[in-house]
Amino acid sequence: MRFNDAAVGFVFILIAAAMIAMTFSFPAFPGQQYGPSLFPRIIGAGIIGCSALLIVRGFREHAAGGRWLQREDWTGVPRRVASFALMLGAMAFYVVASEPLGFIPCAFLIQLVLFLWFGVRPVTAVVVAVVVTGLVHWFFSSLMRVPLPRGVLDSVL
């Protein structure tokens, strides 16, 4: 399915406005004219500007005979719909399971299931899932200093 650009633009304006509204609760840095709210507000303003352009384009498209909602060809193919649902399920699984299980088991399981679903040979899927999970964990935890959930591996890490 494809939504008209005006509908998508409107949703993004709501999201950006909520993001900007949340920045008003951010604390100020003493002695500085700007604080942690500056960059989210700049990004929010950019999203609102781009969304306004989407809305204009969407109304022009609708005036020229376009629909508000158009069904795409892939929605008639059950395997593609299942693939789409599996991707959404993988994201939901990570949100729910990452704290209790940890980043490493969740990332590995998600990649392994997706690789196998999309036809990668099992040995290749396991090797790539292990390597990519290790690289992503190293990049975010060591280089970027992002605290990833440790979960069941807390005593090991």
Side-chain angles (χ1 to χ4, degrees):
M1 278 188 268
R2 182 186 177 279
F3 288 96
N4 182 291
D5 286 343
V8 174
F10 180 71
V11 169
F12 275 111
I13 283 179
L14 291 177
I15 292 169
M19 181 176 74
I20 290 172
M22 283 190 276
T23 65
F24 288 103
S25 67
F26 290 2
F29 284 145
Q32 290 187 357
Q33 293 182 357
Y34 60 89
S37 63
L38 176 66
F39 290 113
R41 288 180 186 173
I42 291 172
I43 291 170
I47 291 171
I48 289 172
C50 292
S51 298
L53 293 175
L54 275 176
I55 290 172
V56 169
R57 186 169 115 181
F59 279 119
R60 285 183 184 161
E61 180 182 311
H62 185 67
R67 297 182 185 180
W68 290 108
L69 181 64
Q70 182 176 343
R71 186 174 173 198
E72 296 290 329
D73 293 337
W74 69 268
T75 58
V77 180
R79 177 137 176 107
R80 290 185 178 172
V81 174
S83 296
F84 178 74
L86 187 62
M87 295 299 290
L88 292 178
M91 289 185 276
F93 171 75
Y94 183 80
V95 168
V96 171
S98 64
E99 284 299 323
L101 285 181
F103 172 80
I104 292 174
C106 285
F108 173 76
L109 288 172
I110 289 170
Q111 289 179 80
L112 183 63
V113 168
L114 291 175
F115 285 146
L116 294 174
W117 175 259
F118 288 114
V120 176
R121 288 181 285 158
V123 172
T124 305
V126 169
V127 170
V128 173
V130 166
V131 170
V132 171
T133 298
L135 286 174
V136 170
H137 185 270
W138 170 77
F139 178 78
F140 280 102
S141 65
S142 297
L143 290 180
M144 300 298 290
R145 303 264 187 223
V146 174
L148 296 172
R150 293 180 180 203
V152 297
L153 300 176
D154 190 31
S155 62
V156 178
L157 298 175

